[in-house]
Amino acid sequence: MQQRRARRRATWATRPAWVLAACLAMTGCGGSNAGDTGTDTVKIGFVGSLSGTYQDVGQEMRDGFQLYLDTHDGRFGGRKVNLVVADEGNGAATALPAATRLVKDEHVAALAGIVASGSYLAISALATEHKIPLIGSNGRPDTENSDWLWTTSFRSPDPGTAIAPYIKEHVDGPVWAIGPDYKGGYDQVGGFTDTFTKLGGKLANPGGKATWTPFPDTPNYLPYLSQIAKSDAKAVYAFFGGANAVGFVTQYRQSDAKNLPLYGAFLTEGPVLQQQGPAAEGIWNVLNYSPDLDNAANRTFIAEWTTRHTDRSPTTYAMAAYDAAAVLDKAIAKISGKVTPVKINEAIGQLGQIDSPRGSWQFSPKNHTPIQHWYLRVVRRDGTQLANRVVQDLATIGA
């Protein structure tokens, strides 16, 4: 990993509020000299949820990407980066127009970011059509063609796939599976239910099918939790993120199901953990990253992050976006002459092992998603704060 250089570019967090507001009103905002062209400048588009249900996730991703830029002199592969940021909103309906402007009006050489699975499916089709490399940094749904698609986070079913064997071994009886009624929810919960039942596990849900809650908002989870409490479930597996994760976890601890062990993916990741408060203690969860991982890349990442964000620890969202920037940096460094989308895409395919805060990983040659370790974590007190602490390795997944 390159050594940290002096920061030359202002972060979004330190820009005046009117500048950020103006940028978001226009959907995209250049990080520097929006019209730059030539071999010394490369324009990159970043799409993230800066409003809506997953605003906290989008902010983490944007901050992680920006952190890498700030600590690498605002350059990828020696070229000055003109970063153009667009708001994904709640899904494809707002994400696709935002990304289309980046591709057709801004003429970006690559796209990064994207929170929601529905957004990803829409934007991946756009990127493939226009032959623009897309480096996603959150859960990725399966796609038929991955030629222009890369992901530094994971396939959406992977978290559930990784933790299912552990739950099957440690829970003596049926498990209730629940998640939000949209593409990301189906993939996330489906990764668990498919693997769990193949291993001989039984779902406590009626008909052996997962329960789906309205998306983007479910104000009241108590009717679902009451049904769980009356079933023969011995544990619950859930996927929720953002504001939905706060609502589900806090209401879980107020419900008749509160004494059932709760397992999940992303339930307690990021700013939602402090919002959940004591209700989150003891929740078991699966993820590909934790701030307490002991490796050199993570120590550097934590030091850089805490210098800028004293109020919160980095999340898997920030880490994956940081890695997306690292991938672009390393790929562009391989390019001679003018940087083009085709050259970036070819160079990414030649990268091999990536040194990352999560531990070393590499892209699968089959679908361009990470081959990586997954970790079992549990929410515990760390002094006066709650934290997700690594308990053990679960599995290495990737194909």
Side-chain angles (χ1 to χ4, degrees), residues 4-11 14 69-71 73 308:
R4 177 178 171 185
R5 303 185 181 100
R7 181 170 64 174
R8 295 183 182 177
R9 302 177 69 251
T11 64
T14 60
L69 265 179
D70 289 344
T71 54
D73 204 23
R308 291 159 178 76

Side-chain angles (χ1 to χ4, degrees), residues 214-268:
F215 181 83
D217 298 311
T218 302
N220 185 10
Y221 290 98
L222 292 176
Y224 302 98
L225 295 168
S226 177
Q227 188 179 14
I228 293 171
K230 293 175 183 177
S231 74
D232 61 349
K234 301 302 180 183
V236 175
Y237 179 84
F239 160 73
F240 291 103
N244 291 330
V246 176
F248 182 81
V249 168
T250 54
Q251 292 177 44
Y252 192 94
R253 295 307 186 198
Q254 298 166 359
S255 75
D256 292 338
K258 62 186 177 183
N259 293 323
L260 292 176
L262 177 56
Y263 296 85
F266 301 96
L267 279 178
T268 59

Side-chain angles (χ1 to χ4, degrees), residues 42-381:
V42 58
K43 185 178 285 190
I44 303 296
F46 184 91
V47 183
S49 293
L50 305 179
S51 62
T53 302
Y54 291 131
Q55 181 175 351
D56 286 347
V57 176
Q59 176 180 320
E60 288 285 310
M61 290 166 57
R62 180 198 65 195
D63 289 349
F65 197 92
Q66 185 72 57
L67 176 64
Y68 188 95
L69 265 179
D70 289 344
T71 54
H72 290 77
D73 204 23
R75 296 175 183 271
F76 288 161
R79 271 85 163 185
K80 184 178 181 182
V81 174
N82 181 357
L83 181 63
V84 190
V85 177
D87 186 4
E88 174 185 341
N90 256 342
T94 48
L96 182 57
T100 299
R101 284 189 284 272
L102 296 183
V103 171
K104 294 187 176 181
D105 298 338
E106 296 289 349
H107 304 291
V108 297
L111 289 167
I114 310 177
V115 174
S117 294
S119 300
Y120 188 94
L121 287 174
I123 295 174
S124 65
L126 174 75
T128 300
E129 177 186 356
H130 290 274
K131 295 181 168 54
I132 303 289
L134 168 58
I135 303 90
S137 46
N138 201 27
R140 170 178 153 181
D142 289 329
T143 57
E144 291 185 6
N145 183 351
S146 298
D147 290 349
W148 294 89
L149 311 179
W150 308 86
T151 302
T152 59
S153 51
F154 50 88
R155 287 178 61 254
S156 295
D158 287 351
T161 300
I163 198 173
Y166 180 91
I167 296 177
K168 174 63 173 63
E169 180 181 351
H170 289 83
V171 174
D172 185 18
V175 175
W176 191 289
I178 185 170
D181 187 9
Y182 78 113
K183 174 63 175 173
Y186 308 151
D187 288 346
Q188 290 278 352
V189 176
F192 168 75
T193 57
D194 289 350
T195 305
F196 183 70
T197 54
K198 285 178 182 177
L199 293 172
K202 178 184 175 183
L203 295 180
N205 308 66
K209 303 293 184 182
T211 299
W212 307 111
T213 64
F215 181 83
D217 298 311
T218 302
N220 185 10
Y221 290 98
L222 292 176
Y224 302 98
L225 295 168
S226 177
Q227 188 179 14
I228 293 171
K230 293 175 183 177
S231 74
D232 61 349
K234 301 302 180 183
V236 175
Y237 179 84
F239 160 73
F240 291 103
N244 291 330
V246 176
F248 182 81
V249 168
T250 54
Q251 292 177 44
Y252 192 94
R253 295 307 186 198
Q254 298 166 359
S255 75
D256 292 338
K258 62 186 177 183
N259 293 323
L260 292 176
L262 177 56
Y263 296 85
F266 301 96
L267 279 178
T268 59
E269 179 67 357
V272 300
L273 179 56
Q274 303 312 320
Q275 297 171 46
Q276 291 161 346
E281 287 191 69
I283 293 177
W284 301 88
N285 58 92
V286 55
L287 216 54
N288 59 347
Y289 173 71
S290 186
D292 60 338
L293 290 175
D294 186 15
N295 62 66
N298 193 40
R299 289 191 291 271
T300 298
F301 177 56
I302 293 292
E304 292 171 345
W305 178 272
T306 54
T307 297
R308 291 159 178 76
H309 306 289
T310 58
D311 61 330
R312 66 189 195 274
S313 297
T315 61
T316 189
Y317 315 119
M319 178 278 298
Y322 182 91
D323 275 7
V327 163
L328 284 166
D329 181 23
K330 297 175 189 302
I332 292 171
K334 292 178 173 290
I335 297 173
S336 298
K338 186 176 180 178
V339 175
T340 67
V342 171
K343 290 182 180 179
I344 293 175
N345 202 59
E346 291 175 348
I348 293 175
Q350 301 169 6
L351 289 182
Q353 289 282 335
I354 307 294
D355 188 24
S356 166
R358 80 188 84 175
S360 294
W361 63 275
Q362 65 184 28
F363 286 114
S364 162
K366 179 180 178 181
N367 57 23
H368 298 172
T369 59
I371 300 172
Q372 63 184 331
H373 294 296
W374 288 87
Y375 306 96
L376 177 67
R377 312 184 312 174
V378 66
V379 177
R380 292 175 177 156
R381 285 281 172 184

